Structure formats: C-alpha cells, structure tokens
Amino acid sequence: MSLNTFFFARSVQRIQRGQSVALPFFHNTTNRKERDISNHQLYDSRSQTFHTTQHVRSLDVKTLSFQATDVREEISTNLYSDSKSNSSSSSLNCGSYTQSTNSGLNEEIDFMDISSSNDSRESYSSLYSSSSFSPPSYHNNNTKTNYNGYGNESFPNNPSPYNTPFSRGIQASISSTKIKADVTGISFSPPRSNFLPKFENSLPSLVYSLAPPRASEIDSLPDRDWNQEFNEVLESPLMERAKKLCQLEREFVEVASKIGKIIISEKHVHPSQKTIKPIQIDSGYAGGDKYQAKGIFFKFAVDRHSIYGSDEYAMKVACHELKGHTALVSCGMMHGLKLGLMTVIDYQGSRLTAVSVLPISGETLVYGSSDAGKVVCTSLDVMNDVMRQCGKVLNLKGHLAGIGKDKKFIYGPCDLEGHLGSDGRLYAIDLARLFPPETPKRNVPGGFLYRLLRPELVRQFDKPLSSDAFTLFGEHDSEKHDAEVREATEFLHNHIIPSFAISLSKESSENISSPPISDILVKLHRAGINIRFLGEVRSYITDTSLRKTILTEICARLFKNELRKKLRESKRPETYPQFCINFFNTIFGDKPVCKVFWQAMKKPMQQRFINSLRECEMDISFDIRKHVHMESLFYRLQDSIGVSFNASYSDFPLEKNHFNEFIVKAKQMYTVPRIEADTAAELARE
C-alpha cells in the first residue's frame, strides 16, 4: 500500500466514525494571481510555500463538505451534476497551474481531483486491509514522469540533486452505497537552489494528516453534565451536602487537571495535531484559546490584547474569577443563584481556567453587560432581587453602571453577566471583578483590573463598596464610590496590616519557633490582606526568625513568576527540564553569577512586595541569601512552580538526571468552608 493509499483509507475510516480528517494542499507561492484558487484559501507559512489544511466534516453521495482549520470559511462542493440520478458521473477538478521559475524549469502541480463514478477500481476495504504500508522515500530520477488520473503531465529533466519524485495524490470514486478509492501518484520536480529543504519545513499539515490517531488518557473519561450534578448536590439535604460536594469537587478537579495538562503541553503543536482542538466561541474579549471537552470549558489565561499589561497579571485575573465563584456559590445556595464548578490549572508556566459547561447563550442574558457596558441589562426582577441579596451578604454596594446614557442600577461589576438558563435556573458568570479594586497607583496601569481588595476585607468594612469604583463603568456618582474604596484601602494599610504584624510577632515570641508559612498565609487571608502586602507585613516585624520565614516566601513567589515567564516565552517544551535545572542552579549555586543574580533581584522584589527590604538590605554588600531559609526555599519553589527533582538540597549543582517531572497544580473553589462562613455571616447580619 502506498502512503497516499493508507492516508485515504484511514481518512474514510475516521469519517465513518464521525471524526474529522485533514486534507493538505500545497502550492508554490510564485505568481499567486495566475492560480485557480476559487475553491482554496491560502495562508503564508514559514517558508515560500502556501498551504491550507481542510477538515472533512461529512461525506455523502451528493456533497463533500470541508471546514477549514487555518481559514475561517466553510466550503461545500457538489459532486453530482444531476442530483436526481445516483448513477450519473461527474468530477470536481480543482484545477492545475503551470509556472516558470528563475532557473527556467516549468512546474505543473494539480490540485486534488475527486470524481464520482460507479466504476471503481479498488474498494476501501481492500485498501485498508493491505499491510504493505511504507513511508515516503526519494529516488533519483532524471526521466520524464507521465501519469493518468489527473491527465498527463511531464516534467523536464533536472540535473539538480533535488530532482526527486514526490507522491501526494488522491483520486476518489464515490457511489451511493459505499466509498471506493483509487490512489494515483503525483510527481513534481522542485527547482534548484535549496527549495526542497524549505518545502519540507512547511509540511506540518501533511505530516500531521498522515499520522495515525493518537490514543489519549482522556478517551476513557465519560462525558458528564457537571453543572447538573453540582446543582443536584447543592439542592440535596443539608446532612449529605458537605460530603457530596467534596467528592464532586475532587472528581471535577481530577478530570480538569488531566485534560488541562494535555491542552497546555500541546499549546505549541499545530492545531491539526492537537489531541483537543481549540474552538471558536464568543466568550469575551479577554483571554486566549478556548477548548471544550468532557463537559468542561477551558480558556488560557493570557493577555492576548494587552488589557492587563502582561500574562502574569492575566493569570491573577483568573484567580480573581475563582474567588468570585467561591464567594457567590453560598449566596446562590441561599438565594437561588447558580454557578458552574470551576478550577484554575497551572502547568509548565501556563494557566487555564476550567468551568463546567452551563446551559446559557447570548440570548439568555438578563443581568449585567456582555459588551463592556454599552448595554446593561436588568430585565428580570427575580435576578435583580437575587443580586441585591448577594450584594448584602458580600457587602457590595448597588450603583448605576454603564458607559452609555441608559445606565442601570446593579450590584457587582457592570461586566458581570446574569443568565436565565435553558433549564430555568439563574446563573452568574464573569466574576473576576466582583470585588472592588484598591486605590489605583499611577505607576501600575490597569491595576484596577487585578489589584483587588480581598473578600474578607470588604465584608468587615463598615460601608458597602462599589465593584466599579475607579472605572468608567461606575462614572455616575464616582466621587463618592471612589472615596469609600479609598477609605477601605487606607483602613487596610493603617490598621489591618499593622495589627496583623503585631499579632503574628506575639504568637511567634510565645512559641519556640516561628509558625510555618502555610499557617501565616491562611491567617493573612482571613485578615483580608493580599499576598502582595507580605513585604509591608515584614516591615513591621522585628523577630529575626519570622522575618526570615516571610522573606523566604517572598523569594519563592518572585522566582516562581520569573521562571513561569521564561517557560511561557520558550517555544520548545523539550528544553523546559534543562531550563529549570539551570534556573535552580543559579538560585542555589555558589558561583559568582549566582551572587549577581540575587543582587539583581532586589529591585523587582522591592517593586512587587513594597517595603520587603530595608535600606541596609538593598546595599550591594548585603547578601540576602544569609537571611533566607535556602533549603526551605528549594522545596517551596518546587511546590509553587509544579516541578519535581530527584534531588535534595545537598545535591547541588543539579544535573539533567535530577529532573523528575512537571506537576499539575490546581486551585479549587472549596465550597464547603465558604458556605459555612457565609451562612454564619448571614445569620449575624439578621
């Protein structure tokens, strides 16, 4: 069996299974205007060759439909000149072209020919059952090549070493009862001057199309309606709810992590070769490629349109979305608002949000805005009342919102969306800005989108706060809204943070050793303090051991962001392990370059974590490594990045064999403790 025969036979089998099949077409770029490209769309590839990969979605007697992968156009071709007669025969000839190169050689390459006939010379079953599959090979041939099926073509002799036949043709015969095929080879002689290596570099679609379907660990996972299961658990008896919620969340995170790992690991793979294909769906302007599998919707947390300032800040916004889901889930249980299950997945420096698919669409919007505040909707009284009740629990202020003349009174951010789902339930999405921003700083453009106040601080403040403070969405009565948020920010810095530092110091002095950093972070969040204020907390502490513990965490987070950035910038995943080894050796090594690195990181450390270092610690002679738990940093950095080494701290410098694997890190909603806390808060307010 020839390579093309195998390809076509496998393609037919995949079509019968309802899968898509990639059909590649390749053309030289010279004299593009002379081509007949009425049925083809071309795009610029990495070399001087244009190509398009088209996916067959359906194959029947009358119509062969294509959906282009690399072009946004669906092409439908009628194979029958007489649609009423199954015995009639017709053919589709996409055309051929002849062009001259500078070397004086003529090239004539036919497009794919698909014809309909009852006289097939070889059946599909016999093609696929053949086991004589052989990969493509090149042979020296200085004679003319003639062949039938596409018409006779000839190529002149070419003394170039690249004068080698290249077979890549398919002729298909289709009848009303079965699909039959006869494969005819096409040969062409490329010109001189290193054309073939360039041509080979631009053949990703052909290679991917010929590759057999890859087995994946997600193939065995069942399709589940996570949204329905989540709502059923929330509506279950109180005594059973906590256990069922924990189980469902664990299963959701496990499935989402498996799928997310595959999506992220294949982010640099050609779309036709991805295990899970990206989808085109209108789900907001921000974010990156979107995917859907096993009842879960995935989206890359990237700053594709330069909204936030960097991918790092876009990843922070993804975490704010998770916080919004977690905060509203208990309100929904009490007042009838539903949300999807959600988790945030980190792997190899990239981040995905994963949300259960909801029964909503653009037609189900009843609250908020889906067009950046141009039109704000409050069309359903029940939804308005639910959001008012949720605003009361979360201490969020109702306000007139919108950027047009027709502003509406809402609770929460203007760009939140409330939907009346097709199942009759009320849903809320786009919750990244649910809580108000801190007072913006001039040197942090766009900070109002990702530097938000924590839910715990908003709840304990003595006034309700507007989610749209310091934004154009909340322009109406903005002076009052902004002043209240400014007051809350000052309350955080002047009272909450100093009080927390004093309490932490007192606790540390009463114990033999300082508390572990995990306990400190939990208490930090419960007090309503963001991680970015760890440096400010450290500035109030005098205990040496405690200052060392906090500085270790600051270093871990700073280095984590730096390594993630480098991994995202690299387009070669095979180099990731060595890159991590080099990065760790730089941090924990004893070479002169290591000292230079630590000194260079002082400035970004002071910028990200304000007041984290004293003036004397910023001096070039001060080695902050002596004030960091280096061994703890080694393990903490592995955990935060999601990387594992078969080594201990004493094994430095690390070598290639020390690298173990990348690990998927997932953040989940933790609905059970949140429901308990919000229920208590609701009872206290009443």
Side-chain angles (χ1 to χ4, degrees):
M1 180 189 295
S2 70
L3 180 63
N4 287 314
T5 304
F6 173 81
F7 161 66
F8 185 77
R10 185 179 62 82
S11 299
V12 174
Q13 185 190 52
R14 295 191 68 178
I15 291 172
Q16 290 181 335
R17 294 201 302 261
Q19 298 176 339
S20 63
V21 177
L23 301 178
F25 299 87
F26 300 91
H27 316 285
N28 188 278
T29 60
T30 309
N31 300 327
R32 287 184 62 193
K33 296 182 179 179
E34 298 179 3
R35 304 179 193 166
D36 176 12
I37 57 173
S38 58
N39 290 317
H40 296 274
Q41 297 289 332
L42 309 177
Y43 75 95
D44 197 356
S45 183
R46 290 175 292 178
S47 69
Q48 295 181 347
T49 301
F50 281 73
H51 70 279
T52 179
T53 300
Q54 297 175 331
H55 277 203
V56 179
R57 293 298 180 186
S58 62
L59 182 59
D60 55 27
V61 176
K62 298 181 181 180
T63 303
L64 183 65
S65 299
F66 300 90
Q67 181 175 350
T69 298
D70 299 317
V71 295
R72 300 175 182 175
E73 181 177 350
E74 183 173 335
I75 306 171
S76 181
T77 304
N78 195 336
L79 296 181
Y80 282 82
S81 58
D82 182 5
S83 61
K84 297 181 180 180
S85 174
N86 288 335
S87 62
S88 63
S89 176
S90 64
S91 64
L92 167 67
N93 293 306
C94 296
S96 63
Y97 66 93
T98 303
Q99 54 190 3
S100 299
T101 64
N102 295 332
S103 62
L105 298 178
N106 292 327
E107 291 182 8
E108 185 172 351
I109 303 177
D110 269 35
F111 296 173
M112 182 172 288
D113 178 290
I114 302 180
S115 62
S116 173
S117 172
N118 286 336
D119 299 327
S120 302
R121 285 168 284 179
E122 188 174 4
S123 67
Y124 154 71
S125 58
S126 62
L127 289 175
Y128 196 73
S129 61
S130 174
S131 59
S132 58
F133 169 72
S134 59
S137 59
Y138 299 97
H139 307 281
N140 289 329
N141 187 356
N142 294 327
T143 61
K144 295 182 179 180
T145 303
N146 298 312
Y147 60 90
N148 296 319
Y150 290 87
N152 293 330
E153 291 187 343
S154 63
F155 295 89
N157 294 336
N158 185 1
S160 167
Y162 298 114
N163 180 22
T164 53
F166 185 80
S167 178
R168 60 174 185 85
I170 298 175
Q171 179 176 349
S173 298
I174 304 174
S175 68
S176 59
T177 56
K178 63 175 63 177
I179 300 174
K180 300 181 179 180
D182 181 44
V183 179
T184 307
I186 299 179
S187 299
F188 75 95
S189 298
R192 303 168 185 168
S193 70
N194 299 327
F195 175 81
L196 188 58
K198 294 182 179 179
F199 189 82
E200 290 177 327
N201 289 335
S202 63
L203 300 182
S205 298
L206 178 61
V207 175
Y208 298 152
S209 300
L210 296 176
R214 294 187 301 172
S216 172
E217 61 178 319
I218 68 171
D219 293 341
S220 59
L221 298 176
D223 288 313
R224 296 175 62 174
D225 189 344
W226 297 99
N227 175 65
Q228 181 63 27
E229 292 184 40
F230 186 41
N231 286 316
E232 289 176 355
V233 170
L234 290 177
E235 295 164 2
S236 63
L238 181 61
M239 300 301 294
E240 305 174 3
R241 188 179 302 151
K243 182 178 180 180
K244 290 182 177 180
L245 273 176
C246 290
Q247 176 67 20
L248 184 62
E249 281 186 354
R250 184 166 56 252
E251 293 174 359
F252 178 79
V253 171
E254 181 180 350
V255 173
S257 297
K258 289 181 179 179
I259 301 174
K261 179 180 179 180
I262 293 174
I263 293 174
I264 293 176
S265 63
E266 295 179 351
K267 65 180 180 180
H268 298 305
V269 173
H270 190 276
S272 63
Q273 183 66 355
K274 290 180 182 289
T275 303
I276 304 170
K277 305 294 189 296
I279 61 175
Q280 297 294 330
I281 185 173
D282 185 12
S283 64
Y285 182 70
D289 291 340
K290 305 166 182 67
Y291 302 79
Q292 186 168 313
K294 305 301 179 182
I296 306 175
F297 175 75
F298 298 86
K299 182 168 68 172
F300 270 102
V302 296
D303 190 22
R304 176 172 291 178
H305 302 289
S306 301
I307 298 174
Y308 309 110
S310 71
D311 287 348
E312 178 185 340
Y313 299 143
M315 294 168 73
K316 292 182 181 295
V317 172
C319 279
H320 289 316
E321 181 84 18
L322 182 65
K323 292 175 187 174
H325 270 73
T326 305
L328 270 184
V329 67
S330 56
C331 300
M333 185 188 67
M334 291 185 287
H335 302 292
L337 183 66
K338 306 298 181 181
L339 298 103
L341 281 167
M342 181 179 180
T343 186
V344 173
I345 300 165
D346 292 327
Y347 185 66
Q348 293 183 343
S350 295
R351 175 167 288 177
L352 284 173
T353 57
V355 188
S356 57
V357 176
L358 302 178
I360 61 175
S361 66
E363 305 298 323
T364 61
L365 182 69
V366 294
Y367 192 88
S369 176
S370 61
D371 57 2
K374 296 178 182 178
V375 178
V376 183
C377 185
T378 54
S379 59
L380 190 65
D381 291 339
V382 176
M383 185 68 175
N384 299 340
D385 184 63
V386 168
M387 290 306 301
R388 180 182 62 82
Q389 295 291 341
C390 291
K392 179 182 177 182
V393 173
L394 302 177
N395 202 27
L396 297 177
K397 184 179 183 180
H399 59 284
L400 286 173
I403 61 175
K405 294 182 179 179
D406 188 19
K407 302 184 188 315
K408 300 293 178 60
F409 190 85
I410 66 171
Y411 290 83
C414 178
D415 50 353
L416 174 149
E417 293 184 26
H419 291 262
L420 177 60
S422 58
D423 59 355
R425 296 186 176 103
L426 298 175
Y427 293 93
I429 62 172
D430 292 348
L431 305 173
R433 291 197 318 107
L434 182 63
F435 294 99
E438 67 175 24
T439 303
K441 296 182 178 180
R442 294 179 179 270
N443 63 341
V444 187
F448 66 93
L449 295 172
Y450 57 86
R451 295 174 69 95
L452 309 183
L453 299 176
R454 284 199 62 85
E456 296 86 352
L457 176 68
V458 175
R459 294 185 186 193
Q460 64 178 294
F461 195 61
D462 59 359
K463 300 175 185 177
L465 302 175
S466 171
S467 303
D468 286 325
F470 297 106
T471 70
L472 292 178
F473 296 133
E475 186 178 12
H476 182 271
D477 211 6
S478 60
E479 291 185 3
K480 183 177 180 181
H481 301 324
D482 296 352
E484 291 169 343
V485 171
R486 190 176 291 109
E487 184 181 347
T489 304
E490 293 174 355
F491 176 70
L492 170 65
H493 291 282
N494 297 335
H495 298 280
I496 299 295
I497 292 178
S499 299
F500 176 80
I502 293 173
S503 174
L504 193 62
S505 298
K506 182 179 179 180
E507 179 184 346
S508 178
S509 63
E510 293 175 351
N511 298 315
I512 300 177
S513 59
S514 61
I517 190 60
S518 56
D519 291 350
I520 294 176
L521 296 181
V522 170
K523 294 174 182 178
L524 191 81
H525 285 162
R526 286 178 179 174
I529 305 173
N530 305 82
I531 293 292
R532 62 179 176 271
F533 299 128
L534 264 178
E536 194 168 342
V537 171
R538 184 175 186 264
S539 68
Y540 287 102
I541 294 175
T542 57
D543 182 79
T544 303
S545 176
L546 190 54
R547 285 177 58 84
K548 197 171 185 178
T549 299
I550 295 177
L551 184 59
T552 302
E553 180 64 17
I554 289 175
C555 290
R557 291 181 177 268
L558 181 67
F559 297 153
K560 174 193 70 175
N561 291 330
E562 188 68 18
L563 180 55
R564 280 179 172 178
K565 179 182 177 182
K566 297 301 182 183
L567 291 176
R568 291 194 300 271
E569 291 175 349
S570 174
K571 307 298 182 183
R572 300 174 58 195
E574 67 274 11
T575 65
Y576 288 176
Q578 187 61 53
F579 192 92
C580 292
I581 291 172
N582 295 343
F583 192 81
F584 272 73
N585 284 337
T586 303
I587 295 174
F588 300 100
D590 55 2
K591 295 182 179 180
V593 67
C594 303
K595 183 177 181 180
V596 174
F597 172 81
W598 276 89
Q599 180 63 32
M601 295 305 294
K602 287 182 180 180
K603 185 175 180 180
M605 184 183 300
Q606 191 76 328
Q607 291 174 340
R608 292 172 181 266
F609 298 91
I610 304 298
N611 297 330
S612 57
L613 298 176
R614 293 172 176 170
E615 186 176 352
C616 63
E617 294 172 328
M618 290 293 294
D619 190 87
I620 191 172
S621 62
F622 188 90
D623 189 354
I624 62 175
R625 289 178 292 181
K626 297 179 181 179
H627 301 268
V628 171
H629 295 292
M630 296 297 286
E631 185 171 358
S632 298
L633 177 62
F634 172 62
Y635 296 107
R636 176 64 176 144
L637 196 55
Q638 290 183 70
D639 180 66
S640 59
I641 293 174
V643 65
S644 173
F645 293 107
N646 294 319
S648 63
Y649 179 68
S650 60
D651 292 329
F652 276 95
L654 298 178
E655 297 180 357
K656 190 172 183 179
N657 62 315
H658 286 133
F659 183 85
N660 186 17
E661 63 177 343
F662 284 102
I663 302 171
V664 178
K665 306 294 292 185
K667 299 180 180 180
Q668 61 188 81
M669 294 170 63
Y670 296 109
T671 55
V672 174
R674 176 59 62 193
I675 289 174
E676 294 174 349
D678 286 350
T679 302
E682 178 77 357
L683 295 175
R685 289 180 184 274
E686 294 178 352

